[in-house]
Amino acid sequence: MRLLLARQVGCTSFEDIRTISGCVCDSYRDACARLILLSDDREFIEAIDELYILNSGFYMRKAFVVMLLGDFMSDPLNVWMKKWKVLSDGLLYNQRRLLGKPDLVIYDDNIKQMCLVEIDRYLRPNGKRLSDFGCMPGIDSPNVIPFHNLFIVNKLSYDCCEMLSEHDSLFKSLNFEQFVAYHDIIQAVSNNLGLMFFVDGFGGSGKTYLWNALSCKIRSQGKIVLNVASSGIASLLLLGGRTAHSQFAHHLVLTG
């Protein structure tokens, strides 16, 4: 509104301020965009940089929420893409302290999602949600929220891009039988069908190769895979594999 008032002349109502060439825009941001007053949102990007000199990531996320609520930015997605690292400052450090794991690694995609969850949390007391701002990225999965659980953190620590690259390499060499099993299993996972599959074959027929291709595909989507084998030697052949005892022993409760 401030920028429009400096440009518009003879306005007698709020609607007049948003009227550009006889057309009433839906918001002040749209009106500014039509007048190319905030084409690159440079002043907001510079404001974030200036604030960051003396303030923490927590404060920066709060400031970004104010910008969203005020409908100030012409292209919030552009500002987000350029300044998400600043807005995410402190999130990794907080998780390392919370989990007592100073070498914890959380990849960029998950850091972005954690930051979006925080922004959404700050919007809600003001009667808004992140989904109300169609120009902003959405929260892809609730899996980013329980990062206080070290087990989940470890299972989500795979680099999605690296997993996708590994999957593409494995996928090219699947034979016909492997491809049929791969297709059926991926379909079940993608559609949340909750099915069970039994893959049988003699030693060296490519069962482990199939499991690794499936694991890479699912992990590349930011999902959790638990690769479990009955013996230690077999588990070493699986990506991130563990024996059943090692994986589940701490969850078992023995009763007399």
Side-chain angles (χ1 to χ4, degrees):
M1 184 193 293
R2 175 175 58 83
L3 291 173
L4 288 171
L5 287 173
R7 177 68 177 268
Q8 300 286 67
V9 178
C11 297
T12 58
S13 67
F14 292 113
E15 188 176 272
D16 286 345
I17 300 174
R18 294 185 281 112
T19 302
I20 309 298
S21 300
C23 179
V24 180
C25 298
D26 294 332
S27 66
Y28 297 119
R29 185 181 69 197
D30 291 342
C32 286
R34 294 195 63 169
L35 291 172
I36 319 178
L37 296 179
L38 291 175
S39 57
D40 57 3
D41 288 318
R42 187 177 305 161
E43 63 178 272
F44 298 105
I45 293 173
E46 292 176 351
I48 290 174
D49 288 335
E50 291 178 7
L51 289 170
Y52 186 52
I53 295 174
L54 298 175
N55 295 284
S56 65
F58 170 80
Y59 182 87
M60 300 311 303
R61 291 186 286 277
K62 290 271 192 180
F64 188 72
V65 166
V66 172
M67 294 179 185
L68 284 176
L69 292 171
D71 203 22
F72 297 137
M73 297 175 284
S74 62
D75 188 2
L77 178 61
N78 176 51
V79 178
W80 161 259
M81 294 299 293
K82 290 183 176 179
K83 291 300 168 186
W84 70 265
K85 288 186 178 181
V86 170
L87 300 175
S88 303
D89 181 54
L91 291 177
L92 178 58
Y93 173 76
N94 291 339
Q95 293 303 315
R96 286 174 171 172
R97 287 192 58 190
L98 181 64
L99 298 172
K101 190 175 181 181
D103 58 346
L104 173 67
V105 175
I106 302 178
Y107 291 100
D108 286 351
D109 287 344
N110 282 329
I111 289 288
K112 289 179 182 178
Q113 287 291 298
M114 292 172 65
C115 185
L116 292 172
V117 169
E118 289 286 299
I119 291 172
D120 180 71
R121 185 177 301 162
Y122 300 147
L123 285 169
R124 288 178 182 269
N126 295 282
K128 292 286 187 178
R129 296 178 298 177
L130 189 63
S131 58
D132 293 331
F133 300 88
C135 51
M136 286 290 293
I139 298 174
D140 295 335
S141 168
N143 289 340
V144 299
I145 299 175
F147 263 89
H148 59 279
N149 186 309
L150 184 57
F151 178 79
I152 294 178
V153 168
N154 288 333
K155 297 306 175 184
L156 291 175
S157 63
Y158 292 92
D159 188 324
C160 293
C161 293
E162 182 180 327
M163 287 292 99
L164 183 59
S165 176
E166 181 71 18
H167 162 265
D168 292 345
S169 177
L170 293 170
F171 184 79
K172 294 176 182 178
S173 301
L174 293 177
N175 60 34
F176 177 74
E177 288 82 4
Q178 289 171 327
F179 177 77
V180 171
Y182 171 94
H183 178 267
D184 289 346
I185 294 172
I186 289 297
Q187 283 291 101
V189 172
S190 300
N191 295 310
N192 295 318
L193 299 181
L195 300 179
M196 295 183 65
F197 295 87
F198 180 74
V199 179
D200 190 21
F202 56 84
S205 60
K207 299 186 298 297
T208 300
Y209 192 94
L210 171 63
W211 301 139
N212 285 333
L214 288 166
S215 298
C216 289
K217 175 63 175 179
I218 297 171
R219 284 171 175 157
S220 72
Q221 299 171 343
K223 298 177 181 178
I224 293 176
V225 176
L226 301 181
N227 276 330
V228 178
S230 58
S231 68
I233 294 177
S235 68
L236 292 175
L237 299 176
L238 296 169
L239 295 174
R242 298 176 64 179
T243 64
H245 176 78
S246 174
Q247 186 71 268
F248 302 117
H250 63 287
H251 294 298
L252 297 178
V253 178
L254 300 179
T255 58

